[in-house]
Each structure stands twice: as structure tokens, then as C-alpha cells.
Amino acid sequence: MSRPLAGPDTPGLAALVGGLEVVVCCGSGGVGKTTLSAALAAAIAATSDRRVMVLTIDPARRLATALGMSGIGADPVTVPAARLREAGLPLRGELVAAMLDQKSVWTGWWSATLPTARWRGGS
Amino acid sequence: MLAVEVDAKGDLAEALGHPPVGFRPVVVQRNLSVIALHPEDSFQEYLAIFFKIPRFTRLTPLAGVFDFVATGVPGPRDMLMVGKIAHEERRRETDRRPVWDLIVVDATSSGEILPQLTAARSMRRLVRGGMLGSQLDFVDAMVTNHRKTALCITALAEEMPVAEALELHDEVVEHTEIGLGPCFLNRTLASVSSPRQRRLVELLADAAHAQAVAQVLGDGVDGLVAGVRLADALNRSGQPFARRLAARMSVPVVAVPLVAARPGLATTRAVAASMEGEG
């Protein structure tokens, strides 16, 4: 199906992703996935009162850099609204960032989702 | 030293003067142990190590294991990403409201994303019922629910990123039930000059005028001319790839402009602003 690049007739961002709960940004290496993820999350948090979490699998600090933070860990951390406002990104909603730390996430998830010792491999 | 037999015929241990061995390493000679790998045993151990699943969990017949292996065994990393997303998507406040209205995932590169997103379904073929089965069902249902989840492919207006984006697009459409969101064509360079402006720049660069211009400005215009030419060339070279992407994608392609700045909040703000402009 042939479609034009985004223009006046292309549905806006809100229409394209507005009702979704999970947006997974992927692509070849170096195409700007992290910046786009951060920007998409910020744009939605700026234009709606939604609580938006941006989650990176990249252990490098690219997402933190993109959000003007010194670092991001496995626990979700709120991106300071004041800092975003100073940078010209006033938020209506809330923006939270986290990084996938393999060990802690893995342990935590299975501990939470497999509630009995037997399923967790205990006796 | 550990010698590993993978065809489970028992020949290797026998050749070393020892009765056939099993899945546990057996010392057959000084400093030499042998192990025979059986796919189902291996997979059971894999599940036990990485997923803490008791070894008595029923699996489908061996054919299922082979199918599973053939379609890409989901390592911990594969389940990790989709599992984490599912966990966060499922979190609720005490009043049952979702903790997050939207989760945006800065995910892996094109070649790795589908094994990750389909890891739950791949595993589900092997696990019958039980708590793990229902967990995998939940993850798979989240990933394949088009009203909840979308995969947004990102590309640049260059040959390889577009080729890989289209390859991933086709793979998703033809072989998965995952929904696609808008495709982002990042770092697009709109034409920065009109034909008249380009003509003016070329005249400025002309030797006949360059000296006079330099006298007026107190400096040459080489940098300006080179910049306009470069922007023009980049714009022209990217257009065929941008057109190809838009023509082949079954979803809208959103052009995100190049922001000439170091990565950081300013860049994020500029890109976000351009996205807001789309809305």
C-alpha cells in the first residue's frame, strides 16, 4: 500500500499512538531509537495528562542523556518536570524512565509472577 | 576436559571404554569427562536454570522442542524484555488504576526484536497449562493485542536502514500477529533552499563574484556554499529511500527532522516538538 510521508493529511501523533498502552521502538543500529523513544514519550506527556514510562534496554546512558539526567537505573525514576520545563518541554502528564537491568528485573519478575516456592524452584 | 556427545547414540563414551552416559558429566578417564546431550533434557535444564521451572513440568513431545529450537530458542534476554514490559503493563495502583498509561520501549535492533516479542508464544508451545502457561498467555496476549501494543519501526533515509525496516515490516505482517504503529523516518532533511536561492549561492561561489562578495563581507562564502550544497545533496540522496519506504509500508511514515545538535534534552525537545506538530 502506498502512503505519503507525513503531511497535512497524515493522522497526527495523538491519533497514531494515542490509545495504545505499549509502544516498542525498534530499528537498525544508529537510527536514533533512543532519542525518538525519549521524544515520543516526552511529546505525549507534554500534550496529555498521561503517565508515560520510557524503558530502555540499552545499558549505555543514551536515554539518560536524552532526558537530561545523570543516570537511569532499574527502578523507574521520574524525570524532573522543572528540568523539562526549563528546556522548553512543559509537561501536562508525568514522564518516568527506567532501564532494563537484566539480573534484577529477571529475579524480580519471576519472583512476583511465580508466587509459590515450588514454582520458583524451591522445595 | 569435557567431551560432549550430541546425537545420543552412546558411541562417544563407548569409544572411551565407558558405558553410555547421560545428561550429567561422567568421568571416563583421568581429566576426561563425557556428557550426552539430549534435546529435551537440555531444554529441561535450560528452563530449570533460567526460569526456575521444576524439571517435572510437562513439555510437549520432542518434535515441539525441535520446532522451538528451530524458531530460535528464546534466551533469558528475549523473555527479559517482553517480560519486563508485561510486568510494568500489569502493575496497578491500590485503586486498580494502571501505574502507567503508556510505556514507550527503546528496544533492540531490527534483527533481535521479533525473537524477543514472540518469545512467550515460542515457549507456550512447549508448556501445557499451569501457572507458567497462563503467564506466557498473558504476555503473548499483550504483545499481539493491536489496541494495546504497537511496534514502531525507525529508519533513516538511507539504503540499509530502509532495506532492514522493510524486511522487518514484511516479517511482522506475514509471520506474526504483532500490530505495527507508525514508522518513524528519522533525521530527515527538508530542502533548505529554493531553486532561486541555490542559483544565488552558486553565483556567490562563482570566481567572478567571490572576490567582490568577500570584500563586502570581509570574509569568503566558501563555508556557506559548501553547507548549502551538502544539505541539498543529502536531501536529494535520501529522497529515493524515503519514497521507497513510504510506498512499501502499510502504516503511516512520520518524517522526523534532523536536529543538528548533540544528543541531549535540547535535541529531545526539538524532536518532541516536531512530533507535537504532527499532532
Side-chain angles (χ1 to χ4, degrees), chain A residues 24-122:
Chain A
V24 180
C25 295
C26 69
S28 310
V31 298
K33 294 183 291 291
T34 303
T35 300
L36 271 172
S37 299
L40 178 62
I44 291 169
T47 53
S48 71
D49 58 1
R50 303 177 82 188
R51 296 172 81 181
V52 183
M53 179 192 203
V54 56
L55 184 67
T56 183
I57 55 94
D58 185 2
R61 287 170 43 182
R62 294 189 186 93
L63 181 63
T65 302
L67 294 171
M69 302 173 76
S70 55
I72 292 171
D75 293 326
V77 56
T78 300
V79 183
R83 186 173 300 163
L84 294 171
R85 193 168 48 246
E86 285 167 15
L89 259 174
L91 299 186
R92 282 175 56 195
E94 186 182 350
L95 183 58
V96 171
M99 185 185 72
L100 273 173
D101 172 65
Q102 294 184 22
K103 189 175 179 183
S104 62
V105 170
W106 191 248
T107 305
W109 188 54
W110 284 101
S111 296
T113 53
L114 300 181
T116 68
R118 193 192 80 172
W119 276 96
R120 287 196 290 269

Side-chain angles (χ1 to χ4, degrees), chain B:
Chain B
M1 182 182 292
L2 177 65
V4 181
E5 178 171 18
V6 295
D7 62 4
K9 287 190 295 188
D11 296 351
L12 179 59
E14 203 170 306
L16 294 166
H18 195 280
V21 299
F23 191 61
R24 299 284 173 195
V26 175
V27 177
V28 294
Q29 291 183 16
R30 188 165 178 266
N31 294 330
L32 177 59
S33 299
V34 175
I35 184 173
L37 290 186
H38 187 274
E40 190 159 342
D41 282 342
S42 302
F43 185 67
Q44 288 266 16
E45 178 154 88
Y46 167 85
L47 291 177
I49 291 170
F50 291 114
F51 299 93
K52 309 295 184 194
I53 298 169
R55 291 181 64 101
F56 55 74
T57 298
R58 289 179 302 159
L59 299 177
T60 55
L62 196 56
V65 177
F66 281 124
D67 288 343
F68 181 77
V69 172
T71 55
V73 177
R77 282 168 186 259
D78 291 344
M79 273 303 292
L80 186 65
M81 188 195 81
V82 73
K84 172 66 174 175
I85 299 168
H87 171 67
E88 294 295 341
E89 194 269 345
R90 202 175 202 177
R91 285 177 64 190
R92 292 291 181 270
E93 303 282 13
T94 50
D95 62 2
R96 308 298 301 159
R97 280 186 308 119
V99 170
W100 316 116
D101 297 311
L102 175 67
I103 299 169
V104 178
V105 184
D106 167 30
T108 48
S109 58
S110 302
E112 298 169 31
I113 190 68
L114 289 187
Q116 291 179 341
L117 292 180
T118 57
R121 178 163 296 193
S122 299
M123 283 195 69
R124 188 65 182 89
R125 295 188 192 119
L126 300 170
V127 180
R128 295 176 185 162
M131 188 170 294
L132 180 63
S134 56
Q135 292 293 335
L136 294 171
D137 282 342
F138 171 77
V139 173
D140 186 55
M142 181 204 73
V143 169
T144 56
N145 184 339
H146 292 202
R147 284 177 299 175
K148 275 190 176 181
T149 303
L151 182 66
C152 292
I153 301 173
T154 304
L156 301 179
E158 297 171 8
E159 185 170 5
M160 281 310 293
V162 166
E164 289 184 15
L166 292 174
E167 194 175 313
L168 177 61
H169 167 273
D170 294 349
E171 183 76 14
V172 171
V173 170
E174 291 166 18
H175 300 295
T176 77
E177 294 176 24
I178 298 167
L180 283 169
C183 171
F184 294 112
L185 183 62
N186 198 16
R187 298 182 200 144
T188 56
L189 194 59
S191 182
V192 293
S193 56
S194 66
R196 280 188 171 188
Q197 289 168 328
R198 281 196 293 278
R199 174 72 183 141
L200 175 64
V201 168
E202 293 306 324
L203 284 172
L204 289 175
D206 192 294
H209 304 107
Q211 196 174 354
V213 172
Q215 278 179 350
V216 173
L217 295 180
D219 204 350
V221 290
D222 293 353
L224 170 68
V225 171
V228 172
R229 284 175 177 167
L230 176 64
D232 233 33
L234 289 174
N235 181 39
R236 272 202 309 275
S237 69
Q239 281 179 2
F241 304 113
R243 281 198 295 269
R244 183 173 174 227
L245 187 75
R248 285 275 316 279
M249 281 276 168
S250 62
V251 292
V253 176
V254 176
V256 179
L258 172 72
V259 177
R262 290 178 59 192
L265 202 47
T267 305
T268 303
R269 184 200 59 76
V271 176
S274 75
M275 288 178 157
E276 289 174 39
E278 298 293 343

